[in-house]
Amino acid sequence: MVKQVAALGLGLALSACSLVPASLGGGEPAKVRAASSAPVAISAGARQCLSQLGKTGSRFSAMPDRYYSAGCSAINAVTIAQLRGDTANFELANIGPVTCPTANAFAAWARYGVDRAARHILGSALSRIETMGSYNCRNIAGSSKRSAHSRAEAIDIAAFVLADGRRISLASGWNNGSAAERRFLRVVHSSACKRFGTVLGPDYNAAHRDHLHLEQGNGSFCR
């Protein structure tokens, strides 16, 4: 296992859909397992990003670069199985490929912006984040411009499930939830704005009434 990580550091070709860094938390190095046959060249920047993601305690698999028709792609992308909170792992629902930088921002937001807010405001740790997906080869609604989803650089968040069984959704909780639920959703929205270039929520427009759109980038558009 250690030899495989060293090989990754030296830039050797690894297998398509085969990197499975699984940091156990506490700063332990990521473990890598090869399980396929098609070689994938990984750049130094991509290796650094995967290493950073491994240190978050996330469980994920790296994907080969993919270019689709009509200008869509998933470059330096991963699929995430679990994210790590302060005290436990939590699950993800419906998420597809995301770029590694997007995954790193997502992992940090989920732990420091969502899990901690859930425990502080709602009195229960986070158990699962429900999404509406990530990669989708489509345009921005009502536009001829490609969405960040077409590059696997965005995630749509629908709801949060807590360890005590409560489900806090954007659709019902943003305006009609309890005072604590409404506060929680606005805190996680505000926290996302510190980690993502574009964040769109229910107050932005009707198309986002039931989710948070989290988009990787260098901007600061938060609505």
Side-chain angles (χ1 to χ4, degrees):
M1 219 40 107
V2 174
K3 291 181 180 178
Q4 288 173 307
V5 174
L8 177 62
L10 292 173
L12 297 181
L14 294 176
S15 300
C17 295
S18 65
L19 290 179
V20 188
S23 172
L24 301 179
E28 294 185 27
K31 298 178 181 179
V32 178
R33 175 171 58 86
S36 187
S37 57
V40 178
I42 299 183
S43 70
R47 289 198 302 270
Q48 183 177 5
C49 186
L50 291 171
S51 176
Q52 180 182 350
L53 186 58
K55 291 176 182 178
T56 68
S58 302
R59 295 186 178 275
F60 63 94
S61 299
M63 299 177 58
D65 289 348
R66 293 179 178 173
Y67 297 87
Y68 302 96
S69 61
C72 298
S73 62
I75 309 303
N76 186 21
V78 301
T79 55
I80 312 171
Q82 287 184 332
L83 295 177
R84 179 73 185 175
D86 285 336
T87 60
N89 290 337
F90 40 86
E91 305 295 329
L92 301 170
N94 304 321
I95 194 166
V98 294
T99 64
C100 184
T102 303
N104 268 305
F106 185 45
W109 171 72
R111 179 172 185 172
Y112 302 115
V114 181
D115 184 40
R116 291 185 180 182
R119 287 185 283 117
H120 177 70
I121 299 171
L122 300 174
S124 180
L126 182 66
S127 175
R128 184 170 74 251
I129 296 178
E130 296 180 359
T131 86
M132 292 180 169
S134 49
Y135 172 79
N136 189 343
C137 188
R138 63 175 175 82
N139 292 343
I140 297 171
S143 166
S144 60
K145 183 180 179 180
R146 280 299 188 201
S147 167
H149 287 288
S150 72
R151 303 183 299 276
E153 294 177 349
I155 305 169
D156 288 341
I157 308 297
F160 307 93
V161 178
L162 307 184
D164 64 9
R166 280 179 290 171
R167 181 178 182 272
I168 316 299
S169 74
L170 274 297
S172 62
W174 187 264
N175 291 317
N176 299 314
S178 68
E181 289 170 349
R182 295 196 306 272
R183 180 187 172 202
F184 165 74
L185 290 174
R186 282 157 177 79
V187 166
V188 300
H189 174 274
S190 177
S191 177
C193 292
K194 299 175 183 178
R195 298 183 182 276
F196 293 90
T198 298
V199 176
L200 306 176
D203 288 341
Y204 178 59
N205 61 17
H208 294 83
R209 66 189 180 280
D210 58 358
H211 68 279
L212 295 178
H213 169 89
L214 311 181
E215 180 178 327
Q216 179 66 21
N218 297 319
S220 57
F221 191 82
C222 175
R223 296 291 187 276

